[in-house]
Amino acid sequence: MKLDTRAMRHLAPDDWKVLAAVEQGSKNHEIVPTTIIERFSRIKGGVSGVHRCISNLAKVGLIAKIKEQKYDGYRLTYGGLDYLALHTHAQKNAVYSVGSRVGVGKESDIMIVADDTGAQKILKIHRLGRISFRTVKTNRDYLKNKPSASWMYLSCLAARKEFAFMTALQEEGFPVPTPIAQSRHTIVMSLVDAPPLRQISSVPDPASLYAELIALLLRFAKHGLIHGDYNEFNILIKDDVTTAEDGIESIKLTPVVIDFPQMISMEHVNAEMYFDRDVECIKRVFARKFHFTSTTPGPFYKDAKKTIGKDGARRLDAVLEASGITKKMAKELEAAIRQEEAEKEANPEAFENEDEEEGSEEEEEDSGEEEGEEEEEEQRVIVIGDDGKIAGVEEMKKLSINDGT
Ligand code: ADP
Ligand code: MG
């Protein structure tokens, strides 16, 4: 279940229309009956044309055939959703080419992409269900434990929520990546050329970085928010070298915070627990990594709570509803994220070495994809190097989208 754009250039305009029809049908049908796909497709060549496209799409795993008691039908796969999202980003000039995967997060794939000027950006693809469907063996999902349509819906919600928060945080001047576009389960954002705190083994002044991170956490609280996963993977550390007039260089470390689908309000029923968990996490990282322990106790939730909205701080926990995510939707998303968290804790090995399980993951029903074809288009997994520079991005592949427009 990783982004694979190889089949994209082989799709014809009618295939795109049929793919869009399956997506449209998915809004009301868990399994979209062929008759519905025919109705939504609006292509010339009638029913047999639609069937040819269905077979093309199924062959490359963008839709999957599901046999049900009452009727046979199709379901969009994560691959199909990826293509539709990339298609939208390409149309809006947010993404022109796709490069390598820089990270596999808990519930996401992180890709380097570029726009048509060559400017590099990050594409985050939300993949809720990836952990659960691999660990919950009893989950009799339609696609041999592949994530169901509802996981895809939740991934779209996660992307919407993350984009809404990133936008609001950016507006308030928080150090976060610049949100650029969102489509379905994906976000395009600015590339932060900085390694996660995880990769940093020493800093000149741990006390000041610690103070800065705690101040940031309290600033979130003042705006009514708790990050909810304030850990060493979600804090990137930029190091800007400045040279003073006397020629002495100094390094200024600036944190940039990422990863917002699990953000919650300071008014959440379990707010105190999540607030304390974020604080503890930072303390633990600094003790372990830099042997630094602050002499100041706290900060404490009850004190932070008193600061909400102070000094004219805009309440950002209201952002979600303003962006059309209802309380019910937010609850569903939260439940899914907690489930994944619990799965991860219970089975940490289940989502490590993702790439090694490639074989089993690719076998979509009806998939006749030829392995090894167009080998030069294999996507290389790259890492953000220790020096904080992104390596290996010369491998960008232009998206070939032939949708007839
Ligand atoms: P997840 O929700 O799956 O944890 P994250 O948003 O935390 O996903 O991203 C996973 C990893 O990808 C991060 O730890 C970081 O290394 C990298 N990453 C994510 N966004 C960016 C960005 N905008 N710039 C640079 N690296 C990023
Ligand atoms: Mg993360």
Side-chain angles (χ1 to χ4, degrees):
M1 194 171 49
K2 76 179 185 194
L3 178 66
D4 181 349
T5 56
R6 279 175 299 180
M8 209 164 224
R9 65 160 79 166
H10 303 301
L11 296 188
D14 281 353
D15 296 327
W16 282 105
K17 285 186 190 149
V18 172
L19 186 60
V22 177
E23 180 183 45
Q24 199 185 340
S26 309
K27 302 214 164 90
N28 292 312
H29 300 267
E30 169 93 4
I31 297 159
V32 190
T34 316
T35 48
I36 297 276
I37 305 176
E38 286 161 10
R39 192 184 318 151
F40 287 159
S41 292
R42 290 175 217 286
I43 62 171
K44 295 197 192 93
V47 171
S48 72
V50 174
H51 285 213
R52 203 168 33 246
C53 295
I54 287 179
S55 141
N56 291 344
L57 294 169
K59 211 180 278 171
V60 288
L62 301 186
I63 61 175
K65 183 167 191 170
I66 315 285
K67 294 186 174 62
E68 258 245 309
Q69 277 174 343
K70 292 200 198 95
Y71 63 90
D72 284 1
Y74 290 85
R75 219 192 64 194
L76 206 59
T77 63
Y78 258 123
L81 199 63
D82 291 352
Y83 273 36
L84 288 164
L86 278 175
H87 184 256
T88 301
H89 288 313
Q91 275 182 328
K92 296 188 174 159
N93 293 326
V95 176
Y96 177 79
S97 56
V98 174
S100 313
R101 184 158 69 159
V102 279
V104 187
K106 291 186 311 293
E107 294 109 9
S108 72
D109 285 334
I110 309 288
M111 313 286 303
I112 293 206
V113 296
D115 63 16
D116 54 1
T117 69
Q120 290 174 7
K121 304 168 184 185
I122 287 286
L123 174 74
K124 177 168 179 177
I125 310 175
H126 287 263
R127 303 247 192 247
L128 278 169
R130 169 151 68 194
I131 299 170
S132 297
F133 84 85
R134 286 167 67 171
T135 54
V136 183
K137 298 279 185 269
T138 52
N139 172 8
R140 298 184 82 240
D141 204 342
Y142 298 103
L143 282 178
K144 303 179 215 136
N145 289 340
K146 282 176 193 302
S148 69
S150 60
W151 280 116
M152 289 187 216
Y153 160 78
L154 290 163
S155 295
C156 294
L157 264 189
R160 267 175 75 181
K161 176 177 174 183
E162 179 157 44
F163 192 76
F165 275 135
M166 218 187 273
T167 306
L169 290 166
Q170 164 103 24
E171 282 167 9
E172 293 305 315
F174 278 88
V176 298
T178 305
I180 296 165
Q182 186 249 318
S183 170
R184 300 171 180 85
H185 59 325
T186 68
I187 291 178
V188 181
M189 64 180 115
S190 63
L191 167 73
V192 182
D193 193 0
L197 180 56
R198 165 77 182 183
Q199 284 181 20
I200 292 176
S201 49
S202 71
V203 293
D205 184 1
S208 79
L209 184 60
Y210 173 84
E212 189 157 356
L213 291 175
I214 294 294
L216 203 47
L217 182 146
L218 290 174
R219 197 169 147 209
F220 281 129
K222 200 167 170 181
H223 286 268
L225 288 176
I226 298 171
H227 184 280
D229 200 7
Y230 203 51
N231 66 36
E232 56 186 331
F233 296 95
N234 292 335
I235 298 166
L236 310 178
I237 305 289
K238 280 207 294 204
D239 56 347
D240 301 313
V241 180
T242 50
T243 313
E245 275 174 22
D246 54 11
I248 294 178
E249 286 190 347
S250 60
I251 297 174
K252 166 90 183 91
L253 299 182
T254 317
V256 178
V257 183
I258 58 167
D259 202 357
F260 309 104
Q262 70 293 315
M263 261 200 150
I264 55 161
S265 165
M266 279 287 282
E267 315 270 12
H268 187 280
V269 276
N270 297 322
E272 181 158 13
M273 188 272 279
Y274 289 118
F275 180 91
D276 290 348
R277 195 172 79 170
D278 278 0
V279 171
E280 284 314 312
C281 187
I282 294 300
K283 287 188 188 258
R284 214 168 36 242
V285 169
F286 273 71
R288 195 193 68 229
K289 250 181 183 327
F290 310 128
H291 309 292
F292 170 81
T293 307
S294 171
T295 48
T296 321
F300 300 106
Y301 173 75
K302 62 175 184 349
D303 301 326
K305 188 141 193 231
K306 288 181 204 139
T307 70
I308 300 175
K310 280 274 160 66
D311 309 321
R314 180 180 148 215
R315 286 291 292 260
L316 297 184
D317 45 351
V319 156
L320 275 196
E321 290 218 44
S323 75
I325 297 181
T326 62
K327 285 212 169 71
K328 181 165 169 278
M329 288 153 99
K331 269 210 167 121
E332 283 171 345
L333 176 60
E334 198 188 324
I337 290 174
R338 300 295 167 226
Q339 180 182 332
E340 298 263 281
E341 257 181 23
E343 295 292 343
K344 187 190 145 203
E345 254 167 52
N347 287 290
E349 69 287 349
F351 74 107
E352 282 166 7
N353 304 324
E354 222 237 347
D355 289 326
E356 288 169 18
E357 287 188 31
E358 214 57 37
S360 64
E361 281 192 32
E362 295 302 315
E363 42 151 347
E364 293 279 353
E365 275 185 41
D366 273 26
S367 162
E369 195 183 345
E370 309 256 318
E371 283 291 332
E373 179 199 4
E374 295 180 84
E375 221 164 60
E376 83 280 7
E377 292 210 356
E378 267 301 314
Q379 290 178 353
R380 279 198 311 164
V381 177
I382 61 158
V383 292
I384 298 178
D386 284 334
D387 61 355
K389 295 284 175 282
I390 306 287
V393 286
E394 69 284 353
E395 297 257 304
M396 294 287 204
K397 294 285 174 282
K398 180 186 176 311
L399 291 174
S400 314
I401 295 177
N402 172 23
D403 62 356
T405 56

